mmCIF file of all heavy atoms in Angstrom:
data_model
loop_
_atom_site.group_PDB
_atom_site.id
_atom_site.type_symbol
_atom_site.label_atom_id
_atom_site.label_comp_id
_atom_site.label_asym_id
_atom_site.label_seq_id
_atom_site.Cartn_x
_atom_site.Cartn_y
_atom_site.Cartn_z
ATOM 1 N N SER A 58 -11.136 -19.031 -14.954
ATOM 2 C CA SER A 58 -12.465 -19.164 -15.537
ATOM 3 C C SER A 58 -12.766 -17.972 -16.443
ATOM 4 O O SER A 58 -13.247 -18.129 -17.582
ATOM 5 C CB SER A 58 -13.495 -19.267 -14.405
ATOM 6 O OG SER A 58 -14.780 -19.094 -14.905
ATOM 7 N N ALA A 59 -12.437 -16.782 -15.965
ATOM 8 C CA ALA A 59 -12.669 -15.560 -16.762
ATOM 9 C C ALA A 59 -11.908 -15.643 -18.079
ATOM 10 O O ALA A 59 -12.460 -15.395 -19.157
ATOM 11 C CB ALA A 59 -12.232 -14.337 -15.962
ATOM 12 N N ALA A 60 -10.630 -16.012 -18.005
ATOM 13 C CA ALA A 60 -9.791 -16.059 -19.208
ATOM 14 C C ALA A 60 -10.270 -17.149 -20.168
ATOM 15 O O ALA A 60 -10.384 -16.928 -21.376
ATOM 16 C CB ALA A 60 -8.335 -16.306 -18.804
ATOM 17 N N THR A 61 -10.576 -18.316 -19.623
ATOM 18 C CA THR A 61 -10.962 -19.450 -20.458
ATOM 19 C C THR A 61 -12.298 -19.200 -21.157
ATOM 20 O O THR A 61 -12.472 -19.532 -22.330
ATOM 21 C CB THR A 61 -11.039 -20.735 -19.603
ATOM 22 O OG1 THR A 61 -9.838 -20.830 -18.844
ATOM 23 C CG2 THR A 61 -11.169 -21.968 -20.479
ATOM 24 N N ARG A 62 -13.229 -18.592 -20.449
ATOM 25 C CA ARG A 62 -14.525 -18.309 -21.071
ATOM 26 C C ARG A 62 -14.417 -17.287 -22.204
ATOM 27 O O ARG A 62 -15.314 -17.169 -23.028
ATOM 28 C CB ARG A 62 -15.522 -17.801 -20.031
ATOM 29 C CG ARG A 62 -16.093 -18.930 -19.210
ATOM 30 C CD ARG A 62 -17.088 -18.421 -18.221
ATOM 31 N NE ARG A 62 -17.626 -19.526 -17.427
ATOM 32 C CZ ARG A 62 -18.341 -19.352 -16.323
ATOM 33 N NH1 ARG A 62 -18.591 -18.130 -15.895
ATOM 34 N NH2 ARG A 62 -18.809 -20.386 -15.669
ATOM 35 N N LEU A 63 -13.310 -16.532 -22.206
ATOM 36 C CA LEU A 63 -13.090 -15.593 -23.314
ATOM 37 C C LEU A 63 -12.163 -16.201 -24.367
ATOM 38 O O LEU A 63 -11.720 -15.510 -25.283
ATOM 39 C CB LEU A 63 -12.528 -14.264 -22.789
ATOM 40 C CG LEU A 63 -13.453 -13.499 -21.828
ATOM 41 C CD1 LEU A 63 -12.814 -12.183 -21.395
ATOM 42 C CD2 LEU A 63 -14.822 -13.233 -22.455
ATOM 43 N N GLY A 64 -11.835 -17.483 -24.207
ATOM 44 C CA GLY A 64 -11.063 -18.173 -25.240
ATOM 45 C C GLY A 64 -9.561 -18.086 -25.096
ATOM 46 O O GLY A 64 -8.812 -18.600 -25.936
ATOM 47 N N ALA A 65 -9.052 -17.430 -24.032
ATOM 48 C CA ALA A 65 -7.598 -17.293 -23.869
ATOM 49 C C ALA A 65 -6.979 -18.608 -23.425
ATOM 50 O O ALA A 65 -7.649 -19.470 -22.857
ATOM 51 C CB ALA A 65 -7.287 -16.210 -22.847
ATOM 52 N N LYS A 66 -5.666 -18.747 -23.703
ATOM 53 C CA LYS A 66 -4.895 -19.861 -23.141
ATOM 54 C C LYS A 66 -4.325 -19.401 -21.811
ATOM 55 O O LYS A 66 -3.874 -18.265 -21.693
ATOM 56 C CB LYS A 66 -3.742 -20.238 -24.066
ATOM 57 C CG LYS A 66 -4.160 -20.636 -25.464
ATOM 58 C CD LYS A 66 -4.708 -22.059 -25.499
ATOM 59 C CE LYS A 66 -5.180 -22.425 -26.893
ATOM 60 N NZ LYS A 66 -6.300 -21.560 -27.376
ATOM 61 N N VAL A 67 -4.334 -20.302 -20.830
ATOM 62 C CA VAL A 67 -3.808 -19.944 -19.518
ATOM 63 C C VAL A 67 -2.585 -20.797 -19.206
ATOM 64 O O VAL A 67 -2.629 -22.031 -19.341
ATOM 65 C CB VAL A 67 -4.874 -20.148 -18.415
ATOM 66 C CG1 VAL A 67 -4.305 -19.799 -17.045
ATOM 67 C CG2 VAL A 67 -6.108 -19.294 -18.706
ATOM 68 N N ILE A 68 -1.477 -20.144 -18.832
ATOM 69 C CA ILE A 68 -0.292 -20.862 -18.373
ATOM 70 C C ILE A 68 0.060 -20.345 -16.978
ATOM 71 O O ILE A 68 -0.466 -19.314 -16.559
ATOM 72 C CB ILE A 68 0.920 -20.654 -19.319
ATOM 73 C CG1 ILE A 68 1.275 -19.167 -19.417
ATOM 74 C CG2 ILE A 68 0.620 -21.222 -20.704
ATOM 75 C CD1 ILE A 68 2.591 -18.894 -20.123
ATOM 76 N N GLY A 69 0.946 -21.044 -16.269
ATOM 77 C CA GLY A 69 1.358 -20.507 -14.971
ATOM 78 C C GLY A 69 1.659 -21.578 -13.953
ATOM 79 O O GLY A 69 1.811 -22.747 -14.294
ATOM 80 N N PHE A 70 1.770 -21.130 -12.705
ATOM 81 C CA PHE A 70 1.980 -22.091 -11.616
ATOM 82 C C PHE A 70 1.072 -21.729 -10.446
ATOM 83 O O PHE A 70 0.632 -20.593 -10.314
ATOM 84 C CB PHE A 70 3.452 -22.182 -11.207
ATOM 85 C CG PHE A 70 4.126 -20.853 -10.956
ATOM 86 C CD1 PHE A 70 4.010 -20.211 -9.726
ATOM 87 C CD2 PHE A 70 4.906 -20.261 -11.946
ATOM 88 C CE1 PHE A 70 4.654 -19.010 -9.483
ATOM 89 C CE2 PHE A 70 5.556 -19.043 -11.713
ATOM 90 C CZ PHE A 70 5.424 -18.420 -10.481
ATOM 91 N N THR A 71 0.818 -22.734 -9.596
ATOM 92 C CA THR A 71 -0.184 -22.562 -8.556
ATOM 93 C C THR A 71 0.417 -22.310 -7.187
ATOM 94 O O THR A 71 -0.274 -21.899 -6.272
ATOM 95 C CB THR A 71 -1.076 -23.812 -8.459
ATOM 96 O OG1 THR A 71 -0.226 -24.929 -8.182
ATOM 97 C CG2 THR A 71 -1.802 -24.043 -9.757
ATOM 98 N N ASP A 72 1.697 -22.581 -7.016
ATOM 99 C CA ASP A 72 2.401 -22.116 -5.823
ATOM 100 C C ASP A 72 3.895 -22.236 -6.081
ATOM 101 O O ASP A 72 4.318 -22.968 -6.961
ATOM 102 C CB ASP A 72 1.966 -22.875 -4.558
ATOM 103 C CG ASP A 72 2.456 -24.295 -4.532
ATOM 104 O OD1 ASP A 72 3.584 -24.514 -4.068
ATOM 105 O OD2 ASP A 72 1.707 -25.178 -4.997
ATOM 106 N N SER A 73 4.686 -21.477 -5.329
ATOM 107 C CA SER A 73 6.083 -21.324 -5.718
ATOM 108 C C SER A 73 6.901 -22.600 -5.537
ATOM 109 O O SER A 73 7.989 -22.715 -6.082
ATOM 110 C CB SER A 73 6.723 -20.166 -4.955
ATOM 111 O OG SER A 73 6.488 -20.308 -3.588
ATOM 112 N N SER A 74 6.375 -23.583 -4.798
ATOM 113 C CA SER A 74 7.163 -24.804 -4.587
ATOM 114 C C SER A 74 7.310 -25.597 -5.887
ATOM 115 O O SER A 74 8.238 -26.376 -6.043
ATOM 116 C CB SER A 74 6.500 -25.676 -3.527
ATOM 117 O OG SER A 74 5.249 -26.108 -3.984
ATOM 118 N N SER A 75 6.414 -25.335 -6.848
ATOM 119 C CA SER A 75 6.493 -26.094 -8.093
ATOM 120 C C SER A 75 7.159 -25.284 -9.201
ATOM 121 O O SER A 75 7.023 -25.564 -10.365
ATOM 122 C CB SER A 75 5.084 -26.493 -8.538
ATOM 123 O OG SER A 75 4.309 -25.334 -8.766
ATOM 124 N N SER A 76 7.868 -24.230 -8.829
ATOM 125 C CA SER A 76 8.479 -23.392 -9.864
ATOM 126 C C SER A 76 9.943 -23.141 -9.547
ATOM 127 O O SER A 76 10.464 -23.578 -8.532
ATOM 128 C CB SER A 76 7.744 -22.068 -9.957
ATOM 129 O OG SER A 76 8.091 -21.274 -8.838
ATOM 130 N N SER A 77 10.579 -22.371 -10.441
ATOM 131 C CA SER A 77 11.998 -22.084 -10.261
ATOM 132 C C SER A 77 12.262 -21.187 -9.053
ATOM 133 O O SER A 77 13.394 -21.060 -8.608
ATOM 134 C CB SER A 77 12.538 -21.417 -11.522
ATOM 135 O OG SER A 77 11.719 -20.325 -11.853
ATOM 136 N N VAL A 78 11.192 -20.561 -8.521
ATOM 137 C CA VAL A 78 11.354 -19.727 -7.330
ATOM 138 C C VAL A 78 11.949 -20.566 -6.198
ATOM 139 O O VAL A 78 12.768 -20.113 -5.407
ATOM 140 C CB VAL A 78 9.992 -19.162 -6.887
ATOM 141 C CG1 VAL A 78 10.151 -18.249 -5.690
ATOM 142 C CG2 VAL A 78 9.336 -18.420 -8.029
ATOM 143 N N GLN A 79 11.523 -21.812 -6.185
ATOM 144 C CA GLN A 79 12.024 -22.770 -5.206
ATOM 145 C C GLN A 79 13.550 -22.862 -5.273
ATOM 146 O O GLN A 79 14.218 -23.056 -4.273
ATOM 147 C CB GLN A 79 11.396 -24.143 -5.516
ATOM 148 C CG GLN A 79 11.767 -25.241 -4.564
ATOM 149 C CD GLN A 79 10.989 -25.137 -3.266
ATOM 150 O OE1 GLN A 79 10.136 -24.269 -3.108
ATOM 151 N NE2 GLN A 79 11.266 -26.014 -2.326
ATOM 152 N N LYS A 80 14.084 -22.715 -6.490
ATOM 153 C CA LYS A 80 15.541 -22.829 -6.658
ATOM 154 C C LYS A 80 16.250 -21.508 -6.379
ATOM 155 O O LYS A 80 17.425 -21.361 -6.663
ATOM 156 C CB LYS A 80 15.854 -23.298 -8.089
ATOM 157 C CG LYS A 80 15.254 -24.655 -8.407
ATOM 158 C CD LYS A 80 15.473 -25.035 -9.864
ATOM 159 C CE LYS A 80 14.618 -26.235 -10.243
ATOM 160 N NZ LYS A 80 13.769 -25.950 -11.405
ATOM 161 N N GLY A 81 15.515 -20.521 -5.858
ATOM 162 C CA GLY A 81 16.165 -19.278 -5.443
ATOM 163 C C GLY A 81 16.174 -18.195 -6.507
ATOM 164 O O GLY A 81 16.891 -17.211 -6.392
ATOM 165 N N GLU A 82 15.382 -18.361 -7.554
ATOM 166 C CA GLU A 82 15.329 -17.326 -8.590
ATOM 167 C C GLU A 82 14.687 -16.052 -8.031
ATOM 168 O O GLU A 82 13.733 -16.121 -7.264
ATOM 169 C CB GLU A 82 14.518 -17.817 -9.788
ATOM 170 C CG GLU A 82 14.594 -16.866 -10.983
ATOM 171 C CD GLU A 82 13.798 -17.352 -12.192
ATOM 172 O OE1 GLU A 82 12.612 -17.688 -12.033
ATOM 173 O OE2 GLU A 82 14.375 -17.400 -13.283
ATOM 174 N N SER A 83 15.211 -14.899 -8.442
ATOM 175 C CA SER A 83 14.640 -13.636 -7.970
ATOM 176 C C SER A 83 13.310 -13.385 -8.678
ATOM 177 O O SER A 83 13.052 -13.913 -9.754
ATOM 178 C CB SER A 83 15.601 -12.481 -8.238
ATOM 179 O OG SER A 83 15.685 -12.256 -9.632
ATOM 180 N N LEU A 84 12.491 -12.536 -8.048
ATOM 181 C CA LEU A 84 11.213 -12.175 -8.661
ATOM 182 C C LEU A 84 11.460 -11.485 -10.004
ATOM 183 O O LEU A 84 10.759 -11.741 -10.983
ATOM 184 C CB LEU A 84 10.433 -11.265 -7.708
ATOM 185 C CG LEU A 84 9.097 -10.737 -8.204
ATOM 186 C CD1 LEU A 84 8.136 -11.865 -8.552
ATOM 187 C CD2 LEU A 84 8.465 -9.815 -7.156
ATOM 188 N N ARG A 85 12.477 -10.622 -10.044
ATOM 189 C CA ARG A 85 12.798 -9.924 -11.284
ATOM 190 C C ARG A 85 13.032 -10.916 -12.431
ATOM 191 O O ARG A 85 12.469 -10.778 -13.521
ATOM 192 C CB ARG A 85 14.046 -9.054 -11.081
ATOM 193 C CG ARG A 85 14.620 -8.526 -12.390
ATOM 194 C CD ARG A 85 15.970 -7.841 -12.198
ATOM 195 N NE ARG A 85 15.804 -6.399 -12.161
ATOM 196 C CZ ARG A 85 15.992 -5.641 -11.103
ATOM 197 N NH1 ARG A 85 16.374 -6.188 -9.971
ATOM 198 N NH2 ARG A 85 15.818 -4.365 -11.175
ATOM 199 N N ASP A 86 13.850 -11.933 -12.174
ATOM 200 C CA ASP A 86 14.172 -12.899 -13.222
ATOM 201 C C ASP A 86 12.944 -13.712 -13.642
ATOM 202 O O ASP A 86 12.727 -13.958 -14.829
ATOM 203 C CB ASP A 86 15.290 -13.849 -12.761
ATOM 204 C CG ASP A 86 16.643 -13.144 -12.728
ATOM 205 O OD1 ASP A 86 16.672 -11.915 -12.957
ATOM 206 O OD2 ASP A 86 17.654 -13.808 -12.467
ATOM 207 N N THR A 87 12.146 -14.117 -12.664
ATOM 208 C CA THR A 87 10.938 -14.887 -12.996
ATOM 209 C C THR A 87 10.023 -14.066 -13.901
ATOM 210 O O THR A 87 9.532 -14.549 -14.923
ATOM 211 C CB THR A 87 10.156 -15.270 -11.711
ATOM 212 O OG1 THR A 87 11.046 -15.932 -10.816
ATOM 213 C CG2 THR A 87 8.980 -16.179 -12.017
ATOM 214 N N ILE A 88 9.828 -12.793 -13.523
ATOM 215 C CA ILE A 88 8.913 -11.946 -14.285
ATOM 216 C C ILE A 88 9.461 -11.662 -15.689
ATOM 217 O O ILE A 88 8.728 -11.740 -16.681
ATOM 218 C CB ILE A 88 8.644 -10.615 -13.531
ATOM 219 C CG1 ILE A 88 7.926 -10.894 -12.202
ATOM 220 C CG2 ILE A 88 7.855 -9.629 -14.387
ATOM 221 C CD1 ILE A 88 6.529 -11.478 -12.334
ATOM 222 N N LEU A 89 10.750 -11.366 -15.771
ATOM 223 C CA LEU A 89 11.353 -11.102 -17.083
ATOM 224 C C LEU A 89 11.215 -12.308 -18.002
ATOM 225 O O LEU A 89 10.950 -12.179 -19.197
ATOM 226 C CB LEU A 89 12.836 -10.742 -16.921
ATOM 227 C CG LEU A 89 13.115 -9.287 -16.575
ATOM 228 C CD1 LEU A 89 14.587 -9.083 -16.243
ATOM 229 C CD2 LEU A 89 12.699 -8.370 -17.726
ATOM 230 N N THR A 90 11.393 -13.488 -17.446
ATOM 231 C CA THR A 90 11.296 -14.706 -18.248
ATOM 232 C C THR A 90 9.856 -14.943 -18.697
ATOM 233 O O THR A 90 9.586 -15.128 -19.887
ATOM 234 C CB THR A 90 11.791 -15.919 -17.433
ATOM 235 O OG1 THR A 90 13.067 -15.592 -16.891
ATOM 236 C CG2 THR A 90 11.895 -17.160 -18.297
ATOM 237 N N VAL A 91 8.947 -14.901 -17.737
ATOM 238 C CA VAL A 91 7.547 -15.206 -18.056
ATOM 239 C C VAL A 91 6.957 -14.172 -19.017
ATOM 240 O O VAL A 91 6.119 -14.512 -19.864
ATOM 241 C CB VAL A 91 6.701 -15.318 -16.763
ATOM 242 C CG1 VAL A 91 5.231 -15.495 -17.096
ATOM 243 C CG2 VAL A 91 7.191 -16.465 -15.904
ATOM 244 N N SER A 92 7.418 -12.915 -18.921
ATOM 245 C CA SER A 92 6.957 -11.878 -19.860
ATOM 246 C C SER A 92 7.102 -12.312 -21.310
ATOM 247 O O SER A 92 6.353 -11.868 -22.168
ATOM 248 C CB SER A 92 7.797 -10.605 -19.735
ATOM 249 O OG SER A 92 7.665 -10.020 -18.509
ATOM 250 N N ASN A 93 8.092 -13.137 -21.588
ATOM 251 C CA ASN A 93 8.330 -13.588 -22.965
ATOM 252 C C ASN A 93 7.249 -14.540 -23.469
ATOM 253 O O ASN A 93 7.098 -14.730 -24.667
ATOM 254 C CB ASN A 93 9.667 -14.330 -23.052
ATOM 255 C CG ASN A 93 10.840 -13.413 -22.776
ATOM 256 O OD1 ASN A 93 10.817 -12.257 -23.183
ATOM 257 N ND2 ASN A 93 11.836 -13.923 -22.071
ATOM 258 N N TYR A 94 6.536 -15.155 -22.536
ATOM 259 C CA TYR A 94 5.640 -16.249 -22.924
ATOM 260 C C TYR A 94 4.170 -15.852 -22.940
ATOM 261 O O TYR A 94 3.316 -16.685 -23.227
ATOM 262 C CB TYR A 94 5.789 -17.432 -21.953
ATOM 263 C CG TYR A 94 7.206 -17.897 -21.728
ATOM 264 C CD1 TYR A 94 7.606 -18.379 -20.474
ATOM 265 C CD2 TYR A 94 8.145 -17.879 -22.765
ATOM 266 C CE1 TYR A 94 8.905 -18.823 -20.256
ATOM 267 C CE2 TYR A 94 9.443 -18.316 -22.542
ATOM 268 C CZ TYR A 94 9.819 -18.778 -21.290
ATOM 269 O OH TYR A 94 11.094 -19.203 -21.076
#
Side-chain angles (χ1 to χ4, degrees):
Chain A
S58 167
T61 311
R62 281 181 180 168
L63 298 181
K66 302 282 177 298
V67 179
I68 59 170
F70 49 84
T71 58
D72 71 87
S73 51
S74 64
S75 61
S76 74
S77 52
V78 182
Q79 182 78 3
K80 299 175 192 125
E82 188 179 51
S83 69
L84 177 59
R85 168 189 260 112
D86 287 6
T87 306
I88 296 295
L89 277 172
T90 309
V91 174
S92 296
N93 294 322
Y94 309 145

